[in-house]
Amino acid sequence: MRLFKILKIVGVMVFIEYSTIGVAQEKPNILWLTFEDTSPQFIGCYGDENAETPVMDKMAAGGVRFTNAFSTGTVCSPSRSTIITGVPTYKMGSGNHRSNFPIPEFIKGFPKYLREAGYYVTNNYKTDYNIAGMDTFVAETWDESSGKAGWWNRKGNQPFFSVFNIPDSHQSRTMSMSYEWYEKNVLAYLEPEKKNDKDDDREISQDIELKIPAKKEFSGLHEKKIIGDTAFAMPPIYLDSEAMRKQMARVYNSIKLTDMKMGELLQRLQEDGLLEETIVFIFSDHGEGVPRAKTNGIGLGYRVPFIVWFPEKYKHLSPWGTSGLVSDELIDFEDLAPSILKLAGVEVPEYMNGRALLEKDREPAPDYTYLSTDRADNGPDMVRTITDGRYVYSRNFMPFFPEVKYIRYIDIGEITQQIRKDYKAGKLNEFQESMFKKKPLEVLYDLKSDPWEINNLAKEPEYQEMMEQMRERLEEKIMDDRDVHFLPEYELGEISETTTPYEFRKNKEKYPLKNILETANLVGKSGKAVEKKLFQDLNDENSCVRYWASMGLYAIKSDLSQNQLKKIKAALGDDYPPVQINLAASLYAQTEDKEAERVLKEFILSQNEHLALSAINYTLYLENRSSFIPDIKKVYNSEVGYKTKAAAEDFLDLEELLSKNKPEE
C-alpha cells in the first residue's frame, strides 16, 4: 500500500509519495468529457463548417486533436467494456451488446488503481460495461458513480479523475425517439424560453443540469438557436430530400446541445479554480448513431472525435506539443486505461496491452490497429477490422446480413422508416440501396479521400497487394490474441457457467482456433472447392468448426443443389444447437421443408435466449414468414429477455402486426 503525506504550499495540495527513494511527484487532475454516438464528420474542428461545436473547437484550438482515433467497438456496451478495463472485447468475450459474461477476478476497472493511489474517482453516471457482477464491479471501481458525482465531492484538495458522460447526442435523441420527444428534449433546450421544467420527462432523468452563469468563457460561446434543415451538407450516403434533412438536423442539434453541456462543465471547473490544474479528454464512445454508421464494422462505426487539452502547468506532459496541434497518430480505446494510469504515476497491470500515450519515451505508434464488431441489440453480426488510420479493411464473417439490419431500436427511428420508404419507392441510388442488401465479403475504404466510405476498393487491381497484407495482419492478430468471439454466443454462455471466456480462449486443446478460423474464412466464399470443404467440415469432431461450416452453407444456400440440400437435411440431427439452427435456416429458406420448420420453431421457443434470438433473426430474412407467426406471438406475449422480445417485435412489425411501429405514409 502506498502512503502519502499531504503538504499545503501556496494553496496547492502536493502529494509526496513515500518510497525507498523519497521522490515527490505532483499529480494532475484528469477530466473526461465523453459523449455518445458521434463521428468526427459532425464536429466543427474536424472540418464541418456548419456544425456548432464552439466548446470542442476551442479545446481543440488550445490542445491536441486526433484524426486517427478509433473505438474498439461500434455500439456502447462493448466499447465501454474496453474503456473501463483496458482489455479488448475479443479477449474478454464482451463484444456482444449487453451479454454481460463474467471476466477474471484480476481484471479491474482501471479507476480502482487510481483510487488506491490517492485519487478521488467519480463517474457521472453511465456505466454499461457489459460484464457480469456489475454492482460489485462499479462499487470497487469508483468512489462515486451517480448523477450527482463530480470532483466537487472530494475530500479536501485531493487529485481527481472525473468522468462525465453526456447523453444528448445518443441515438435515442438523433433518431430513435419520436420527433415530438426530440422537440421537447433537445430543441427546447436550444430555445430556453420554450422549455417547460414542470413538464420535463426526459428519458434519462439524471442528465447533467449545471447552473452556470451565462456569458462566461465556455458557457457564453453558444448562441441559443436551432440548426435548421438547410444549414448543412447532406451526407451522400442518404437521399438529399426535405424529409431526410429534417431528420439529419436532429444530429446537428443534439451535438450542439452536447457541446453546450461540455461548456457548462468546463465553466464550473474554471469557477472552482481547477481548470489550470486539470488535463481534459474529450471523445465519443463510437461512431454516429444513424443508419450505416453505429453498429457497422467500418470507419463510420469505429472512428471517433478525440481531443486532449493541457493547461499551461502540464503542457510538458504532451509528447505531441500543444495549442492547436493536429496528430494523425493511430490510437484506440485499448490505450486509454494505461495512458491514464501512467499519467497519474500508477503502475500498469500486465494484462493491459495498450500503449501509454502521454509518455515521452512511450512505445512508437503501431502500423495498424485491430477493431471488432459483434452483435448489436438483437442483430447478430461479426466483423473484424484492421486499419492504419487512412485505409480501413474489414472482413464480414456474416455477410448475409445487411448493414441496416432489422433491429427494432433502429427501425422505430423515423430516419430509418424514411430511408426504407424511399428504397421501396425506388428513389435511392445504387449505393444508397446497398445498405439494405447483403454485405460484401471484404471492404477496403480510403478514409482520407472517401470519409463516407462509398467506394469499396477491395476488388480494385491496384489495391490487391494492400489487401493481401491486411488480410495477413488481421489473421495474425486473431491468432495471437486468440479472439474468443469465433465461438458462437451460445457457447460463450455455456463456458461462463464454469469459467470466463478470457481464460477459456487460452486453451488450445479446447479452443482449436486455427482449425475454427480456417473454416470461418470460407464464409461468404463460393465454388465447388468451398462447398466440398464446408460439407467435409460439417462432420468435424469440433462443434465450433461445424458451426462455421453450417454458417458458410447458409451464406451460399441459394447456390446449393438438391442433393446438397438433402445432405443438410440429414445433418439436422447434429447435437450442437447452433449448427441445427443454421442448417434449418438454410434448408427452410430454399425449400420450406417441414422438418427444418420444426427445428426453427423449437428454438424460437427455447428458454435459452441465445438460441431463441438466433432462430428468430433468421426468420426475419425469409421471403415467407407466415408459418412462424403463432410461435413468434407466443414469444412476444411471454416473459423473455429484451433481445428476444425485440426480435419478436421486429418480426411482427415486418408482418404489419404491430401498427404502432409502422412508418407513416
Side-chain angles (χ1 to χ4, degrees):
M1 179 180 294
R2 293 174 176 169
L3 299 176
F4 294 86
K5 182 178 180 180
I6 305 175
L7 300 179
K8 189 171 184 179
I9 304 176
V10 196
V12 178
M13 301 303 291
V14 179
F15 282 72
I16 300 177
E17 180 179 346
Y18 287 107
S19 67
T20 55
I21 57 175
V23 177
Q25 182 180 8
E26 188 175 352
K27 309 292 186 180
N29 300 319
I30 304 164
L31 174 64
W32 273 11
L33 300 179
T34 70
F35 55 115
E36 304 203 44
D37 304 11
T38 306
S39 296
Q41 286 95 316
F42 299 95
I43 306 296
C45 59
Y46 280 90
D48 191 329
E49 297 178 355
N50 300 303
E52 294 197 14
T53 52
V55 173
M56 281 187 266
D57 299 347
K58 179 180 177 67
M59 297 302 282
V64 185
R65 175 171 63 86
F66 292 83
T67 59
N68 288 327
F70 295 87
S71 169
T72 44
T74 64
V75 70
C76 56
S77 73
S79 173
R80 290 170 188 277
S81 73
T82 297
I83 290 173
I84 197 63
T85 64
V87 182
T89 59
Y90 47 82
K91 287 184 178 179
M92 289 197 298
S94 57
N96 293 306
H97 188 30
R98 294 180 183 148
S99 48
N100 300 318
F101 294 132
I103 61 175
E105 176 63 25
F106 63 81
I107 295 180
K108 305 295 184 181
F110 79 87
K112 174 183 184 294
Y113 304 119
L114 296 173
R115 191 179 182 182
E116 292 171 348
Y119 269 76
Y120 180 68
V121 295
T122 65
N123 177 56
N124 189 321
Y125 57 93
K126 185 170 183 175
T127 52
D128 209 6
Y129 299 142
N130 201 29
I131 56 176
M134 276 285 288
D135 289 345
T136 300
F137 182 88
V138 170
E140 184 181 55
T141 299
W142 301 104
D143 284 303
E144 183 177 1
S145 179
S146 73
K148 296 180 180 180
W151 65 81
W152 45 80
N153 292 327
R154 72 197 190 284
K155 295 179 181 178
N157 289 323
Q158 69 183 117
F160 65 80
F161 172 64
S162 288
V163 175
F164 290 85
N165 184 79
I166 303 173
D168 294 274
S169 55
H170 186 261
Q171 189 174 38
S172 59
R173 278 76 167 158
T174 59
M175 62 172 279
S176 293
M177 301 301 284
S178 70
Y179 197 84
E180 290 72 24
W181 187 98
Y182 154 76
E183 287 181 309
K184 184 176 181 180
N185 295 280
V186 176
L187 295 190
Y189 283 76
L190 301 180
E191 291 188 342
E193 65 277 7
K194 293 184 179 180
K195 179 183 172 184
N196 184 346
D197 289 312
K198 184 178 179 181
D199 198 28
D200 184 10
D201 62 351
R202 287 154 61 101
E203 179 194 30
I204 301 178
S205 61
Q206 293 176 319
D207 280 356
I208 302 159
E209 292 290 348
L210 299 176
K211 304 302 182 184
I212 301 299
K215 297 182 180 179
K216 295 290 185 176
E217 180 177 353
F218 293 101
S219 61
L221 289 172
H222 284 274
E223 290 184 65
K224 298 289 186 179
K225 70 174 186 178
I226 292 169
I227 301 172
D229 57 14
T230 60
F232 53 85
M234 191 70 178
I237 60 177
Y238 304 130
L239 177 67
D240 192 348
S241 66
E242 182 179 349
M244 285 296 293
R245 282 186 167 275
K246 175 184 176 183
Q247 299 302 323
M248 283 304 299
R250 292 180 62 159
V251 172
Y252 283 94
N253 283 313
S254 297
I255 294 173
K256 177 181 172 73
L257 180 57
T258 297
D259 194 73
M260 290 172 66
K261 289 196 174 181
M262 287 184 190
E264 292 175 348
L265 282 162
L266 290 169
Q267 188 63 47
R268 178 161 183 174
L269 188 71
Q270 185 177 50
E271 293 187 347
D272 285 352
L274 295 168
L275 184 63
E276 291 302 319
E277 304 290 330
T278 306
I279 298 172
V280 181
F281 291 72
I282 298 172
F283 59 95
S284 69
D285 59 350
H286 49 70
E288 188 60 53
V290 290
R292 196 182 176 254
K294 178 180 179 179
T295 77
N296 278 294
I298 58 177
L300 286 168
Y302 296 120
R303 191 164 165 255
V304 298
F306 194 95
I307 298 164
V308 185
W309 182 88
F310 298 85
E312 190 65 36
K313 183 176 183 177
Y314 294 117
K315 286 186 184 295
H316 65 281
L317 295 178
S318 171
W320 310 281
T322 56
S323 300
L325 211 78
V326 179
S327 173
D328 63 359
E329 183 171 327
L330 190 61
I331 62 176
D332 68 41
F333 284 176
E334 194 177 354
D335 300 327
L336 294 179
S339 295
I340 299 302
L341 292 178
K342 279 286 189 178
L343 181 60
V346 177
E347 185 178 353
V348 177
E350 289 186 6
Y351 63 80
M352 292 184 188
N353 299 130
R355 289 194 309 136
L357 298 173
L358 277 71
E359 290 204 304
K360 294 292 185 182
D361 58 348
R362 64 211 173 101
E363 297 177 25
D367 294 330
Y368 297 94
T369 190
Y370 177 59
L371 311 170
S372 60
T373 295
D374 297 286
R375 178 181 55 72
D377 289 305
N378 49 299
D381 203 357
M382 185 173 180
V383 185
R384 292 298 178 264
T385 300
I386 196 165
T387 180
D388 62 3
R390 175 172 180 176
Y391 292 97
V392 58
Y393 165 79
S394 292
R395 170 61 158 98
N396 289 308
F397 285 95
M398 296 184 184
F400 34 78
F401 292 132
E403 289 180 312
V404 180
K405 295 179 279 294
Y406 291 118
I407 297 176
R408 177 181 178 271
Y409 192 65
I410 293 175
D411 270 80
I412 61 175
E414 293 170 22
I415 188 172
T416 311
Q417 294 176 5
Q418 185 62 50
I419 296 172
R420 288 196 186 277
K421 182 178 178 181
D422 291 339
Y423 175 52
K424 291 178 181 178
K427 294 181 179 180
L428 305 183
N429 62 33
E430 184 178 359
F431 172 78
Q432 292 163 351
E433 289 182 344
S434 69
M435 68 179 75
F436 298 110
K437 299 178 180 179
K438 292 192 298 184
K439 289 179 290 191
L441 179 66
E442 300 173 299
V443 296
L444 177 69
Y445 294 116
D446 181 347
L447 298 181
K448 182 177 180 180
S449 64
D450 182 23
W452 296 104
E453 296 168 280
I454 293 173
N455 302 308
N456 183 8
L457 306 173
K459 294 185 179 180
E460 298 297 327
E462 61 267 38
Y463 289 95
Q464 292 314 299
E465 184 176 347
M466 179 184 294
M467 288 286 293
E468 185 59 33
Q469 183 182 51
M470 286 187 153
R471 284 191 201 102
E472 290 178 3
R473 291 285 189 109
L474 184 69
E475 187 158 335
E476 286 173 6
K477 186 66 175 175
I478 290 170
M479 291 302 303
D480 288 347
D481 286 348
R482 298 193 56 79
D483 188 327
V484 74
H485 280 287
F486 282 87
L487 297 174
E489 192 170 2
Y490 164 80
E491 187 69 21
L492 295 176
E494 296 296 294
I495 288 166
S496 295
E497 295 294 323
T498 56
T499 183
T500 67
Y502 182 95
E503 295 291 355
F504 181 87
R505 78 187 215 289
K506 299 176 184 178
N507 189 318
K508 294 184 179 181
E509 183 177 344
K510 292 183 178 180
Y511 185 38
L513 181 56
K514 184 176 181 181
N515 296 341
I516 292 170
L517 181 59
E518 181 182 347
T519 305
N521 273 330
L522 297 176
V523 177
K525 298 178 181 179
S526 59
K528 296 299 181 184
V530 171
E531 293 169 7
K532 181 179 179 181
K533 175 62 173 170
L534 289 173
F535 276 104
Q536 176 183 321
D537 288 352
L538 197 59
N539 295 306
D540 194 274
E541 63 180 13
N542 183 275
S543 59
C544 289
V545 171
R546 301 200 306 277
Y547 166 79
W548 281 107
S550 64
M551 192 75 77
L553 291 170
Y554 178 83
I556 58 172
K557 57 187 178 299
S558 59
D559 297 333
L560 299 179
S561 67
Q562 289 299 312
N563 186 51
Q564 288 171 322
L565 291 172
K566 288 180 181 178
K567 289 183 180 180
I568 287 178
K569 184 169 183 176
L572 281 178
D574 192 287
D575 62 3
Y576 192 55
V579 173
Q580 289 182 274
I581 293 171
N582 291 345
L583 294 178
S586 302
L587 185 60
Y588 188 86
Q590 297 306 114
T591 66
E592 297 190 1
D593 179 85
K594 290 299 181 183
E595 178 62 13
E597 179 182 326
R598 183 196 65 76
V599 171
L600 285 175
K601 287 182 175 181
E602 175 185 333
F603 287 111
I604 285 170
L605 298 172
S606 172
Q607 294 300 304
N608 184 294
E609 187 173 21
H610 306 303
L611 299 177
L613 180 63
S614 177
I616 294 172
N617 260 281
Y618 279 127
T619 67
L620 298 178
Y621 299 93
L622 293 171
E623 290 186 10
N624 180 9
R625 296 180 290 268
S626 58
S627 63
F628 298 97
I629 291 175
D631 300 280
I632 299 294
K633 282 184 174 180
K634 286 182 184 178
V635 173
Y636 180 71
N637 291 314
S638 61
E639 294 295 326
V640 295
Y642 167 77
K643 295 183 289 289
T644 309
K645 175 83 77 172
E649 288 179 333
D650 269 337
F651 180 101
L652 297 174
D653 185 43
L654 287 170
E655 289 296 306
E656 299 186 342
L657 296 173
L658 286 180
S659 58
K660 65 179 181 179
N661 287 339
K662 288 176 64 178
E664 293 181 6
E665 295 299 331

Short mmCIF file of all heavy atoms in Angstrom, two decimals, residues 128-168:
data_model
loop_
_atom_site.label_atom_id
_atom_site.label_comp_id
_atom_site.label_asym_id
_atom_site.label_seq_id
_atom_site.Cartn_x
_atom_site.Cartn_y
_atom_site.Cartn_z
N ASP A 128 -22.78 0.73 -18.08
CA ASP A 128 -23.00 -0.09 -19.28
C ASP A 128 -21.72 -0.80 -19.72
O ASP A 128 -21.34 -0.78 -20.88
CB ASP A 128 -23.54 0.80 -20.41
CG ASP A 128 -24.42 0.02 -21.38
OD1 ASP A 128 -24.70 -1.17 -21.12
OD2 ASP A 128 -24.84 0.60 -22.40
N TYR A 129 -21.05 -1.46 -18.76
CA TYR A 129 -19.74 -2.05 -19.03
C TYR A 129 -19.80 -3.46 -19.61
O TYR A 129 -18.75 -4.03 -19.93
CB TYR A 129 -18.91 -2.06 -17.74
CG TYR A 129 -18.65 -0.70 -17.15
CD1 TYR A 129 -18.66 -0.51 -15.77
CD2 TYR A 129 -18.39 0.41 -17.96
CE1 TYR A 129 -18.41 0.74 -15.21
CE2 TYR A 129 -18.14 1.66 -17.41
CZ TYR A 129 -18.17 1.82 -16.04
OH TYR A 129 -17.93 3.06 -15.49
N ASN A 130 -20.98 -4.03 -19.70
CA ASN A 130 -21.16 -5.31 -20.40
C ASN A 130 -20.39 -6.46 -19.76
O ASN A 130 -19.81 -7.30 -20.47
CB ASN A 130 -20.76 -5.17 -21.88
CG ASN A 130 -21.37 -6.27 -22.73
OD1 ASN A 130 -22.44 -6.77 -22.43
ND2 ASN A 130 -20.70 -6.62 -23.81
N ILE A 131 -20.38 -6.52 -18.46
CA ILE A 131 -19.75 -7.63 -17.76
C ILE A 131 -20.66 -8.07 -16.62
O ILE A 131 -21.53 -7.32 -16.17
CB ILE A 131 -18.37 -7.24 -17.19
CG1 ILE A 131 -18.49 -6.02 -16.28
CG2 ILE A 131 -17.38 -6.98 -18.31
CD1 ILE A 131 -17.19 -5.63 -15.62
N ALA A 132 -20.46 -9.28 -16.15
CA ALA A 132 -21.26 -9.80 -15.04
C ALA A 132 -20.85 -9.14 -13.73
O ALA A 132 -19.76 -8.60 -13.60
CB ALA A 132 -21.08 -11.32 -14.95
N GLY A 133 -21.75 -9.18 -12.75
CA GLY A 133 -21.45 -8.66 -11.43
C GLY A 133 -21.23 -7.16 -11.42
O GLY A 133 -20.31 -6.65 -10.76
N MET A 134 -22.08 -6.44 -12.13
CA MET A 134 -21.88 -5.01 -12.32
C MET A 134 -21.89 -4.22 -11.01
O MET A 134 -21.09 -3.29 -10.82
CB MET A 134 -22.93 -4.45 -13.27
CG MET A 134 -22.57 -4.62 -14.73
SD MET A 134 -21.31 -3.45 -15.25
CE MET A 134 -22.28 -1.94 -15.24
N ASP A 135 -22.77 -4.53 -10.10
CA ASP A 135 -22.87 -3.76 -8.85
C ASP A 135 -21.56 -3.80 -8.08
O ASP A 135 -21.05 -2.76 -7.63
CB ASP A 135 -24.01 -4.27 -7.98
CG ASP A 135 -25.38 -3.95 -8.56
OD1 ASP A 135 -25.45 -3.10 -9.47
OD2 ASP A 135 -26.37 -4.55 -8.11
N THR A 136 -21.01 -4.99 -7.95
CA THR A 136 -19.74 -5.14 -7.24
C THR A 136 -18.61 -4.45 -7.99
O THR A 136 -17.76 -3.77 -7.39
CB THR A 136 -19.41 -6.63 -7.05
OG1 THR A 136 -20.46 -7.24 -6.29
CG2 THR A 136 -18.09 -6.81 -6.33
N PHE A 137 -18.59 -4.64 -9.30
CA PHE A 137 -17.54 -4.05 -10.14
C PHE A 137 -17.56 -2.52 -10.03
O PHE A 137 -16.51 -1.88 -9.85
CB PHE A 137 -17.75 -4.49 -11.59
CG PHE A 137 -16.71 -3.99 -12.55
CD1 PHE A 137 -15.55 -4.71 -12.76
CD2 PHE A 137 -16.89 -2.81 -13.25
CE1 PHE A 137 -14.58 -4.25 -13.65
CE2 PHE A 137 -15.94 -2.34 -14.14
CZ PHE A 137 -14.78 -3.06 -14.34
N VAL A 138 -18.73 -1.91 -10.13
CA VAL A 138 -18.85 -0.46 -10.07
C VAL A 138 -18.45 0.06 -8.69
O VAL A 138 -17.73 1.07 -8.57
CB VAL A 138 -20.28 -0.02 -10.43
CG1 VAL A 138 -20.49 1.47 -10.14
CG2 VAL A 138 -20.56 -0.29 -11.91
N ALA A 139 -18.89 -0.61 -7.64
CA ALA A 139 -18.57 -0.17 -6.28
C ALA A 139 -17.07 -0.21 -6.03
O ALA A 139 -16.51 0.64 -5.32
CB ALA A 139 -19.30 -1.04 -5.27
N GLU A 140 -16.40 -1.20 -6.59
CA GLU A 140 -14.97 -1.34 -6.41
C GLU A 140 -14.20 -0.32 -7.24
O GLU A 140 -13.10 0.11 -6.87
CB GLU A 140 -14.55 -2.77 -6.81
CG GLU A 140 -13.10 -3.09 -6.58
CD GLU A 140 -12.75 -4.49 -7.01
OE1 GLU A 140 -13.02 -4.85 -8.18
OE2 GLU A 140 -12.22 -5.25 -6.18
N THR A 141 -14.78 0.07 -8.38
CA THR A 141 -14.09 0.94 -9.34
C THR A 141 -14.11 2.41 -8.94
O THR A 141 -13.12 3.12 -9.07
CB THR A 141 -14.71 0.77 -10.74
OG1 THR A 141 -14.57 -0.58 -11.16
CG2 THR A 141 -14.04 1.69 -11.76
N TRP A 142 -15.25 2.89 -8.45
CA TRP A 142 -15.46 4.33 -8.26
C TRP A 142 -15.67 4.70 -6.79
O TRP A 142 -16.28 3.94 -6.04
CB TRP A 142 -16.69 4.79 -9.05
CG TRP A 142 -16.62 4.53 -10.52
CD1 TRP A 142 -17.27 3.54 -11.21
CD2 TRP A 142 -15.85 5.26 -11.47
NE1 TRP A 142 -16.95 3.61 -12.55
CE2 TRP A 142 -16.09 4.66 -12.74
CE3 TRP A 142 -15.01 6.37 -11.39
CZ2 TRP A 142 -15.49 5.14 -13.91
CZ3 TRP A 142 -14.41 6.85 -12.56
CH2 TRP A 142 -14.65 6.23 -13.79
N ASP A 143 -15.21 5.90 -6.43
CA ASP A 143 -15.63 6.48 -5.16
C ASP A 143 -17.11 6.81 -5.20
O ASP A 143 -17.84 6.63 -4.23
CB ASP A 143 -14.83 7.76 -4.86
CG ASP A 143 -13.42 7.46 -4.40
OD1 ASP A 143 -13.27 6.74 -3.39
OD2 ASP A 143 -12.46 7.92 -5.05
N GLU A 144 -17.55 7.34 -6.36
CA GLU A 144 -18.97 7.61 -6.54
C GLU A 144 -19.32 7.47 -8.02
O GLU A 144 -18.60 7.96 -8.89
CB GLU A 144 -19.34 9.02 -6.06
CG GLU A 144 -20.85 9.31 -6.18
CD GLU A 144 -21.26 10.67 -5.65
OE1 GLU A 144 -20.38 11.43 -5.20
OE2 GLU A 144 -22.47 10.97 -5.71
N SER A 145 -20.42 6.79 -8.30
CA SER A 145 -20.94 6.68 -9.66
C SER A 145 -22.43 6.95 -9.58
O SER A 145 -23.22 6.11 -9.16
CB SER A 145 -20.68 5.28 -10.24
OG SER A 145 -21.21 5.16 -11.55
N SER A 146 -22.82 8.17 -9.98
CA SER A 146 -24.21 8.57 -9.89
C SER A 146 -24.42 9.82 -10.72
O SER A 146 -23.46 10.40 -11.25
CB SER A 146 -24.60 8.85 -8.43
OG SER A 146 -24.03 10.07 -7.99
N GLY A 147 -25.66 10.26 -10.79
CA GLY A 147 -25.96 11.50 -11.49
C GLY A 147 -25.51 12.75 -10.76
O GLY A 147 -25.59 13.85 -11.30
N LYS A 148 -25.02 12.58 -9.52
CA LYS A 148 -24.55 13.71 -8.74
C LYS A 148 -23.03 13.69 -8.56
O LYS A 148 -22.47 14.56 -7.89
CB LYS A 148 -25.22 13.71 -7.37
CG LYS A 148 -26.73 13.91 -7.43
CD LYS A 148 -27.35 13.91 -6.04
CE LYS A 148 -28.86 14.11 -6.12
NZ LYS A 148 -29.49 14.11 -4.76
N ALA A 149 -22.38 12.70 -9.13
CA ALA A 149 -20.95 12.53 -8.93
C ALA A 149 -20.14 13.60 -9.66
O ALA A 149 -20.49 14.03 -10.75
CB ALA A 149 -20.52 11.14 -9.40
N GLY A 150 -19.07 14.03 -9.03
CA GLY A 150 -18.17 15.01 -9.64
C GLY A 150 -17.02 15.32 -8.72
O GLY A 150 -17.02 14.91 -7.55
N TRP A 151 -16.06 16.05 -9.23
CA TRP A 151 -14.88 16.39 -8.44
C TRP A 151 -15.23 17.16 -7.17
O TRP A 151 -14.50 17.16 -6.19
CB TRP A 151 -13.89 17.19 -9.27
CG TRP A 151 -14.41 18.55 -9.71
CD1 TRP A 151 -14.44 19.69 -8.97
CD2 TRP A 151 -15.00 18.87 -10.96
NE1 TRP A 151 -15.00 20.73 -9.68
CE2 TRP A 151 -15.35 20.25 -10.92
CE3 TRP A 151 -15.26 18.15 -12.13
CZ2 TRP A 151 -15.96 20.91 -11.99
CZ3 TRP A 151 -15.85 18.81 -13.20
CH2 TRP A 151 -16.20 20.17 -13.13
N TRP A 152 -16.40 17.84 -7.20
CA TRP A 152 -16.78 18.70 -6.08
C TRP A 152 -17.08 17.95 -4.78
O TRP A 152 -17.22 18.56 -3.73
CB TRP A 152 -18.00 19.54 -6.47
CG TRP A 152 -19.06 18.75 -7.18
CD1 TRP A 152 -20.00 17.95 -6.62
CD2 TRP A 152 -19.28 18.68 -8.58
NE1 TRP A 152 -20.80 17.38 -7.57
CE2 TRP A 152 -20.37 17.81 -8.81
CE3 TRP A 152 -18.66 19.26 -9.70
CZ2 TRP A 152 -20.87 17.51 -10.08
CZ3 TRP A 152 -19.14 18.96 -10.96
CH2 TRP A 152 -20.23 18.10 -11.14
N ASN A 153 -17.18 16.64 -4.87
CA ASN A 153 -17.48 15.86 -3.66
C ASN A 153 -16.23 15.25 -3.02
O ASN A 153 -16.34 14.49 -2.06
CB ASN A 153 -18.46 14.74 -3.98
CG ASN A 153 -19.84 15.29 -4.33
OD1 ASN A 153 -20.26 16.31 -3.79
ND2 ASN A 153 -20.53 14.62 -5.23
N ARG A 154 -15.05 15.59 -3.54
CA ARG A 154 -13.83 15.00 -2.97
C ARG A 154 -13.50 15.63 -1.61
O ARG A 154 -14.01 16.69 -1.27
CB ARG A 154 -12.66 15.18 -3.94
CG ARG A 154 -12.12 16.60 -4.05
CD ARG A 154 -11.27 16.71 -5.32
NE ARG A 154 -10.53 17.97 -5.39
CZ ARG A 154 -11.07 19.13 -5.69
NH1 ARG A 154 -12.37 19.22 -5.92
NH2 ARG A 154 -10.32 20.21 -5.76
N LYS A 155 -12.65 14.95 -0.89
CA LYS A 155 -12.24 15.44 0.42
C LYS A 155 -11.02 16.34 0.26
O LYS A 155 -10.01 15.94 -0.31
CB LYS A 155 -11.91 14.27 1.35
CG LYS A 155 -13.11 13.39 1.67
CD LYS A 155 -12.71 12.22 2.56
CE LYS A 155 -13.92 11.33 2.86
NZ LYS A 155 -13.54 10.17 3.69
N GLY A 156 -11.13 17.55 0.75
CA GLY A 156 -10.01 18.46 0.64
C GLY A 156 -9.69 18.77 -0.80
O GLY A 156 -10.59 18.97 -1.62
N ASN A 157 -8.43 18.77 -1.12
CA ASN A 157 -8.00 19.07 -2.49
C ASN A 157 -7.26 17.89 -3.11
O ASN A 157 -6.31 18.07 -3.88
CB ASN A 157 -7.10 20.32 -2.50
CG ASN A 157 -7.88 21.57 -2.22
OD1 ASN A 157 -9.02 21.71 -2.66
ND2 ASN A 157 -7.29 22.48 -1.46
N GLN A 158 -7.68 16.68 -2.81
CA GLN A 158 -7.01 15.53 -3.39
C GLN A 158 -7.19 15.54 -4.91
O GLN A 158 -8.19 16.05 -5.44
CB GLN A 158 -7.56 14.22 -2.79
CG GLN A 158 -8.98 13.89 -3.19
CD GLN A 158 -9.51 12.63 -2.50
OE1 GLN A 158 -10.45 12.69 -1.75
NE2 GLN A 158 -8.88 11.49 -2.77
N PRO A 159 -6.22 14.99 -5.66
CA PRO A 159 -6.35 14.96 -7.12
C PRO A 159 -7.54 14.10 -7.52
O PRO A 159 -7.92 13.17 -6.80
CB PRO A 159 -5.03 14.35 -7.58
CG PRO A 159 -4.56 13.53 -6.43
CD PRO A 159 -5.01 14.28 -5.21
N PHE A 160 -8.13 14.41 -8.65
CA PHE A 160 -9.32 13.67 -9.06
C PHE A 160 -9.22 13.18 -10.49
O PHE A 160 -8.51 13.76 -11.32
CB PHE A 160 -10.58 14.53 -8.89
CG PHE A 160 -10.65 15.75 -9.77
CD1 PHE A 160 -11.04 15.67 -11.10
CD2 PHE A 160 -10.33 17.01 -9.25
CE1 PHE A 160 -11.11 16.79 -11.91
CE2 PHE A 160 -10.40 18.14 -10.05
CZ PHE A 160 -10.78 18.04 -11.39
N PHE A 161 -9.95 12.11 -10.74
CA PHE A 161 -10.25 11.63 -12.09
C PHE A 161 -11.76 11.58 -12.18
O PHE A 161 -12.40 10.78 -11.50
CB PHE A 161 -9.64 10.25 -12.34
CG PHE A 161 -10.08 9.62 -13.64
CD1 PHE A 161 -9.76 10.18 -14.86
CD2 PHE A 161 -10.84 8.45 -13.63
CE1 PHE A 161 -10.17 9.60 -16.06
CE2 PHE A 161 -11.25 7.86 -14.82
CZ PHE A 161 -10.91 8.44 -16.03
N SER A 162 -12.34 12.47 -12.97
CA SER A 162 -13.80 12.55 -13.06
C SER A 162 -14.25 12.33 -14.50
O SER A 162 -13.72 12.94 -15.44
CB SER A 162 -14.29 13.92 -12.58
OG SER A 162 -14.18 14.02 -11.17
N VAL A 163 -15.24 11.46 -14.65
CA VAL A 163 -15.82 11.15 -15.95
C VAL A 163 -17.26 11.66 -15.99
O VAL A 163 -18.04 11.43 -15.06
CB VAL A 163 -15.82 9.63 -16.21
CG1 VAL A 163 -16.55 9.30 -17.52
CG2 VAL A 163 -14.41 9.09 -16.25
N PHE A 164 -17.57 12.37 -17.06
CA PHE A 164 -18.95 12.80 -17.31
C PHE A 164 -19.36 12.28 -18.68
O PHE A 164 -18.70 12.57 -19.68
CB PHE A 164 -19.07 14.33 -17.27
CG PHE A 164 -18.89 14.90 -15.91
CD1 PHE A 164 -17.62 15.17 -15.43
CD2 PHE A 164 -19.99 15.16 -15.10
CE1 PHE A 164 -17.43 15.69 -14.16
CE2 PHE A 164 -19.81 15.67 -13.82
CZ PHE A 164 -18.54 15.93 -13.35
N ASN A 165 -20.43 11.50 -18.70
CA ASN A 165 -20.95 11.02 -19.97
C ASN A 165 -22.18 11.84 -20.33
O ASN A 165 -23.20 11.79 -19.64
CB ASN A 165 -21.33 9.55 -19.89
CG ASN A 165 -21.79 9.02 -21.23
OD1 ASN A 165 -20.98 8.72 -22.09
ND2 ASN A 165 -23.10 8.93 -21.43
N ILE A 166 -22.08 12.62 -21.38
CA ILE A 166 -23.17 13.50 -21.78
C ILE A 166 -24.01 12.75 -22.82
O ILE A 166 -23.52 12.42 -23.90
CB ILE A 166 -22.64 14.82 -22.34
CG1 ILE A 166 -21.74 15.49 -21.29
CG2 ILE A 166 -23.78 15.75 -22.75
CD1 ILE A 166 -21.02 16.72 -21.76
N PRO A 167 -25.29 12.47 -22.53
CA PRO A 167 -26.08 11.56 -23.36
C PRO A 167 -26.83 12.22 -24.53
O PRO A 167 -27.50 11.52 -25.28
CB PRO A 167 -27.08 10.98 -22.36
CG PRO A 167 -27.30 12.10 -21.39
CD PRO A 167 -25.99 12.81 -21.27
N ASP A 168 -26.72 13.54 -24.68
CA ASP A 168 -27.64 14.22 -25.59
C ASP A 168 -27.38 13.98 -27.08
O ASP A 168 -28.20 14.37 -27.91
CB ASP A 168 -27.62 15.72 -25.29
CG ASP A 168 -28.21 16.01 -23.93
OD1 ASP A 168 -29.43 16.15 -23.82
OD2 ASP A 168 -27.43 16.04 -22.95
#
